[in-house]
Structure formats: C-alpha cells, structure tokens
Amino acid sequence: MYKIIILLFTFYATLITANEPVTPLPQSVQVNQAKAKLGQALFFDPILSHDGTVNCATCHDLHSGGDDGLKFSFGIRGQEGSVNAPTVYNAVFNFRQFWDGRAKDLQDQAAGPIQNPVEMGATFEEIIPKLKKSKYKKLFDAIYDEGITKNTITDAIAEYEKTLITPNSRFDKYLRGDKNALTQNEKEGYELFKSKGCVSCHHGENIGGNLYNKFGIFNESNSEWLGRYNITHKERDKYFFKVPSLRNIARTAPYFHDGRTYDLKKAVEIMSQYQLGRHITKEEISKITAFLQSLNGELPKNIEPQ
Amino acid sequence: MYKIIILLFTFYATLITANEPVTPLPQSVQVNQAKAKLGQALFFDPILSHDGTVNCATCHDLHSGGDDGLKFSFGIRGQEGSVNAPTVYNAVFNFRQFWDGRAKDLQDQAAGPIQNPVEMGATFEEIIPKLKKSKYKKLFDAIYDEGITKNTITDAIAEYEKTLITPNSRFDKYLRGDKNALTQNEKEGYELFKSKGCVSCHHGENIGGNLYNKFGIFNESNSEWLGRYNITHKERDKYFFKVPSLRNIARTAPYFHDGRTYDLKKAVEIMSQYQLGRHITKEEISKITAFLQSLNGELPKNIEPQ
C-alpha cells in the first residue's frame, strides 16, 4: 500500500515538474573519493601560490556562496583582479568555466588562477618541486602513477570541486513536489521569472551556465568588458559572456562580471533593462528577488580538510 | 548647409538606434568578385551532384527566401532530408552554420550538402575530375594556383554566398531613422517583441544566428530532435540549436528545424509557449507577426549567373 502511495506521489511529482524549465540539482555527483580528498587538501593549501599567501579558498569561501564577496578579488602581494570571481559551487554543472568560457572544464579552470600573475602568481615548475618535498609526495604517489604533475594537481582539485554542489534548495524541494516549500510571494516570483523572459537564458539544472549571450542586449555597446571577444577576437563575440548560474545567487553578491552592484534587487532591475529592454515594477522586482532567495541550497557538511 | 542637415540627421539617427538590440544589415559585404562569380556558377550547376540532378539552388531558391518552402528538402533520387533547410540569405552573418552549428563558416558548410548521401550525394573524388574536363578548368586556374580542389570549390561557393544578403528591409530603414518605414501595428509588434522577451535570443544584426539555446525550454524534453547533442554527445547539449535569424522570416516557411508549421502566427505562439512559457493573446501575436513581416529585405539584383 505504502509503495503504491509513493509511486503515485512520484508520478504526480514527475507530472507537475515535467514542463518546468528548471530541474532540481542532483543530490550527489559521483567522484573518486581519494582524489577528491587530495584535491580538498590542495584547495585549502597556499603552497600552490608563489609566496604561500593565497589558496583557492581565499577567493572561493565555501562557508558562504563559494566566492569572496568582493567586487574584484585580491591575489598575492595585494594585487587586485579585474573580473568578479565566480562561485565554485555547482561550477561542475556549467558548460564551460570562467565568464568568457575559456576553460572547457573544472580541471582546465584549476590551472588558471594558480598561474595568473595577479592571483596565485605561481608556475607549475615552481610548485611541483615544493609539493614533492612535502607530505603530498606520498599522497599523490598512492593515487597517480605519474606522481605530481600539472595534470594530477588540477585533476585532484577538479575532482574535489565536483563535490561542491548545493542540492535541496527550497526551490528544488518545490520542484520535487513539496508545494509548501515556497511562500506565495516566491511562487509568484517564479511565475514572473518565467513570464518576463528571464528563463529564456536562465534555465536547466543550474538556472544558467549552459549558454553564452550578450550582456547588454539593449545598452552596453561601449563597455570596456569585451567578454568572449578577448578569447576569439571575433567582432560578433563582443560583450558575450557565459550566462551565470543563479544557484545561491543571494549569497554571491556583488553581481555581474564587473561586480557593479551588491543589491540583488538592483541586479534584477539591470537584467530586465539590459537583457529584456523592459520596465519592471518595484513589486515585480521584489517577488523575483524572493524567488531567487529560495535558490540557496545546502552547503557540504565537512568544508575544511579533516 | 545641406551638410549640416545631413550631419544632424545622422546624429539623430545614431541617437535613436544606439540602444536598439537589433542593428541594420550592412549594404554590402566585401568579396573577391572573380571568386564570387565562379561560386555563383557552381551554386547553380548540378555538376556538383552525383547524378547531375540537384544544385545548391534546388534547396536554396534565391527568388524567395533562400530556402525551398518544404518541410524537408529532396536530394538526388527523390530522397527526403530530415531537417528543414535553412535559408542561405544572410547566412554570412551567422556565428556558425547548420542548425546544430557543426560548420564553422560558409566554406565549411558548402562541403556538407555536396557529400551528404541524401542531398547531392557526390564525393569530391568524383566531381573534381568532372570539373577538370569542363569549362571550369580555365576558370579555376585563372583564380587559384592550386586549381580545382575541395578547398577551392567550397571557397568559391562561400565567396558567392557572402553576396547573398538582403539589406534595406523596412525595419532597417526604421532603425536608420525613417519613422514612417513601419506602420503603427508593426511598431507595436517590435515593442512586444522586445518586452515579451523574444529579443533575449533574437538580437544583433541578424536578429538571431549568434548563439545556441535550448529549443523547448518549457516543453520539448522528449523530442527526437537532439540538436547539438548529435555533434557533441554531451547530455547538456540535448535540444540545443542555433537560434535562427529572423531576417526574411515571412518568406521562409515552414518554420523550425523540423518544419512543424507553415503559419508564422502559429510559430510565434509556439515560441512564446516553448521558450518563454507564457500565454500570448491573438492581438499580440498579430502585431509581432506584422513586425516580423517588416524584416523582408531587398534580394540581390542579378540572381542567376549571367
């Protein structure tokens, strides 16, 4: 009898979510536990930076939104970056990494900040000998035949980052059939999110992160932020960026590639003007923002290395 | 005095179009005239098909929309294709070619139909000797050091296709400052096109053709048309297609990759439901359709080879 009820419930939940443009995050992603544990140690270890002052967690604080709350992050010697650090949470679900999509996956991405002169400012030639003289020698050798290389360092970090997902947001519970998981205001916000057109770019399991589009379809044609153009040097890629995921958006201010605002309501208003060219009322902004707040998911249980 | 008036007019026209998400097509594209003329001859010559029955113009009728008005085109021996033939007009402005973007440019695209067994069904090994025994020998040798090769055949066709643009649509005249170029109904349609969110994917000079997005953000999750997935075999690319250009859309029925409807109003309704998840009134559909009809541009003057 219970089985029938569960089956019916599952069927009903499938029915009501079948046509939704957003799908819940999975509860877990399969990883190699040994590699992920090693990657976690590396993620928190400033040994990967030139002067031992910066680790991955410096810009990707896992206790809040997986970013650092700054407009632009600080790297070694207090140098300031020039683009807003994206969250590492749920990055595994993005189709490419970085705002301009220049890294094809997490492993490719991981090599970026380590070598960026204004971020961790190191070279693999420099850090590999350091790692080989440390506790890491044994750890890598136990897992990787090739020992400590650029490939194995970034592979371990990427494997760990796959675990950095935030399932079970209230919105995901709602999508799975729990109609009480959202307030009336949040439900109306979701309907507005769909009917206003936000969803035409922010959809799928990550509510974004699966396509490029132009930032400022309406009014950004002389910005200094050229996006994918810097990678492809093609005129048509000017101002094109990866559409970011909206998962945990309320935890990841400031917003946009240039961190131009800390105010989520303002960010919604900017999107409406820039991407949809439409006026949006204060009440509508408030409801959409309420919906966005329901996208905060559960953080991993053991954040620091044990 | 006239100069000042023209300057002021230009300034005014620039001002009013500065924040528009759509820009006018250029009046011309720079091409190598000799190559383009050769490409034109090839475009119309069935010598490129296995049995001499099909040319490029078979599926790309340049006297109407640059397509053939069929749900699926017919190739050699009456074989039917399995995807709606896109228009060749303004294809030069698309960021990739084919619905699934598998060709990076016009030259890459041109090799496709020639070799597709259900389209022109030929091989370059087969057609190159035929061309070398024909009038083409002299024509190629005069232009290309390497003579007749796959590379030069597709290069000439691509060069010709760059000339297949349709500038000066009434809408482009409107964008350039001629406020009387559109009717009130069409102007309102354009405003709806923007405010309903259509513009979030259909923007830029080709009003589309510059990004991939999911067909059926709302309700296409079990279609047999997998789009880019067929190329990348990545789950996240399922149902992703190149957003098509809307230039000359009223001339290029039937619509969508599967040619599911000949009715432009129905196509607008489908887009509203599938991509934006919203109801749209009959009056709104009618106005948006009126706007879309203003996107018909001027066809080239000399279509057939002279």
Side-chain angles (χ1 to χ4, degrees), chain A residues 189-205:
Chain A
Y190 177 47
E191 292 310 313
L192 285 166
F193 182 82
K194 295 193 286 188
S195 67
K196 291 284 176 186
C198 317
V199 79
S200 63
C201 289
H202 293 283
H203 52 68
E205 63 186 346

Side-chain angles (χ1 to χ4, degrees), chain A residues 214 226 229 232-240, chain B residues 205:
Chain A
K214 187 177 178 183
L226 301 177
Y229 176 84
T232 67
H233 305 293
K234 287 181 177 160
E235 193 62 28
R236 66 186 178 218
D237 285 330
K238 262 189 189 167
Y239 318 119
F240 271 67
Chain B
E205 64 186 345

Side-chain angles (χ1 to χ4, degrees), chain B residues 52-123:
Chain B
T53 59
V54 171
N55 61 16
C56 302
T58 304
C59 302
H60 298 291
D61 177 5
L62 302 181
H63 291 285
S64 60
D67 66 345
D68 58 7
L70 297 170
K71 185 177 164 82
F72 304 124
S73 306
F74 291 102
I76 59 167
R77 295 190 293 266
Q79 295 174 99
E80 196 175 17
S82 55
V83 73
N84 184 256
T87 175
V88 68
Y89 276 125
N90 307 306
V92 62
F93 304 119
N94 291 337
F95 82 134
R96 297 280 187 284
Q97 302 301 327
F98 293 122
W99 281 101
D100 53 19
R102 66 185 182 277
K104 70 177 189 304
D105 55 27
L106 290 174
Q107 184 179 12
D108 196 10
Q109 190 281 333
I114 294 173
Q115 300 175 100
N116 189 320
V118 300
E119 298 183 30
M120 296 164 91
T123 63

